């Protein structure tokens, strides 16, 4: 088996600020009568909402693939998406590539002085009721979504691994492009109805672990 040398890690830290309410679905097993129909995902120990790293990474990858005009099931390790996010192992050809980017779960900043959660419907979240209208009978079918409200902030933490012989500039630029595309798109569900618009600020880019 061939190995390639890890040259360094680039640490990205920042803040994701919600410009509109965010809904990333969680379990409805604890649903109460009169409560939301769709709950957000929460840390099972603290009960605080968070953005899963898998949701953030998957959305960025999808946006890069769309911008390149390639399929979400693309297995081209040479593409910008494949180079950064990796490709699954092809059992037939025994080829694949590990992801170069680590995306951590994003924790809600609960002690931000600019965010007052004391008036939310549920701890750290709001309830938004919508109604779908039957096009034939005009009957309304109401449903309630739990959302993290606009103005809330999450801590962003990503790690980019740079290996020997790889194009560092291309990897960095692809990641930055993914962040820019996400700001012009949405995160989570119901984006076409206004949910999930975000602003992403990179507080610093710190290069560490030079070997």
């Amino acid at each position: 088996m061939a190995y390639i040398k890890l040259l360094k890690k680039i640490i990205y830290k920042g803040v994701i600020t919600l410009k509109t309410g965010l809904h990333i679905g969680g379990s409805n097993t604890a649903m109460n009568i009169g409560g939301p129909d769709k709950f957000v995902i929460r840390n099972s120990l603290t009960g605080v909402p968070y953005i899963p790293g898998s949701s953030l990474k998957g959305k960025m990858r999808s946006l890069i693939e769309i911008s390149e005009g390639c399929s979400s099931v693309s297995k081209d390790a040479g593409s910008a998406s494949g180079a950064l996010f990796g490709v699954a192992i092809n059992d037939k050809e025994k080829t694949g590539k590990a992801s170069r980017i680590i995306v951590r779960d994003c924790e809600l900043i609960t002690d931000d002085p600019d965010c007052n959660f004391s008036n939310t419907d549920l701890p750290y979240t709001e309830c938004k009721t919508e109604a779908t209208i039957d096009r034939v009978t005009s009957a309304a079918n109401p449903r309630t979504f739990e959302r993290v409200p606009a103005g809330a902030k999450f801590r962003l933490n990503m790690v980019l691994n740079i290996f020997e012989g790889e194009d560092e500039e291309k990897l960095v630029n692809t990641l930055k492009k993914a962040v820019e595309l996400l700001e012009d798109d949405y995160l989570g569900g119901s984006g076409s109805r206004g949910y999930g618009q975000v602003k992403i600020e990179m507080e610093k880019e710190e290069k560490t672990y030079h070997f």
Side-chain angles (χ1 to χ4, degrees):
M1 180 181 293
Y3 293 92
I4 55 176
K5 181 180 179 181
L6 176 66
L7 296 181
K8 60 181 169 182
K9 291 175 176 281
I10 304 177
I11 313 299
Y12 290 86
K13 293 184 178 180
V15 174
I16 299 176
T17 302
L18 304 186
K19 300 180 73 173
T20 60
L22 174 70
H23 177 84
I24 295 180
S27 172
N28 285 3
T29 56
M31 182 175 64
N32 297 317
I33 296 174
D37 302 302
K38 300 291 184 180
F39 286 83
V40 300
I41 190 167
R42 294 175 180 264
N43 183 306
S44 58
L45 297 180
T46 64
V48 177
Y50 69 99
I51 298 174
S54 57
S55 296
L56 180 57
K57 183 179 179 181
K59 183 66 177 186
M60 290 193 297
R61 176 173 191 154
S62 174
L63 290 170
I64 288 296
E65 289 175 344
I66 291 172
S67 72
E68 292 188 313
C70 61
S71 168
S72 60
V73 295
S74 172
K75 296 182 179 180
D76 182 7
S79 67
S81 173
L84 179 62
F85 297 104
V87 295
I89 295 177
N90 186 315
D91 293 331
K92 182 177 180 180
E93 300 177 5
K94 302 299 181 182
T95 59
K97 183 175 183 178
S99 174
R100 296 304 187 246
I101 184 72
I102 300 169
V103 183
R104 313 285 191 195
D105 288 348
C106 304
E107 299 177 348
L108 178 67
I109 303 175
T110 59
D111 57 355
D112 190 322
D114 296 327
C115 298
N116 182 3
F117 292 102
S118 62
N119 295 321
T120 55
D121 302 304
L122 296 170
Y124 307 109
T125 61
E126 63 185 3
C127 294
K128 184 176 185 293
T129 300
E130 302 177 354
T132 57
I133 307 298
D134 189 296
R135 298 296 189 269
V136 177
T137 66
S138 297
N141 179 28
R143 53 186 178 177
T144 302
F145 289 82
E146 183 184 21
R147 311 192 311 176
V148 182
K153 299 178 181 179
F154 294 83
R155 291 187 179 90
L156 175 67
N157 190 330
M158 299 187 292
V159 181
L160 178 60
N161 290 311
I162 305 297
F163 287 84
E164 189 175 38
E166 295 186 333
D167 189 336
E168 177 180 339
E169 183 178 3
K170 179 181 178 181
L171 292 171
V172 169
N173 288 338
T174 300
L175 180 57
K176 290 183 177 180
K177 180 181 178 181
V179 170
E180 292 172 358
L181 288 170
L182 180 56
E183 287 187 313
D184 291 331
D185 205 90
Y186 64 88
L187 183 63
S190 302
S192 63
R193 299 199 299 273
Y195 291 40
Q197 185 180 5
V198 299
K199 177 182 179 182
I200 301 176
E201 298 172 286
M202 298 286 193
E203 293 181 344
K204 61 181 178 180
E205 299 177 15
E206 181 181 350
K207 294 186 177 182
T208 59
Y209 305 112
H210 290 266
F211 300 103

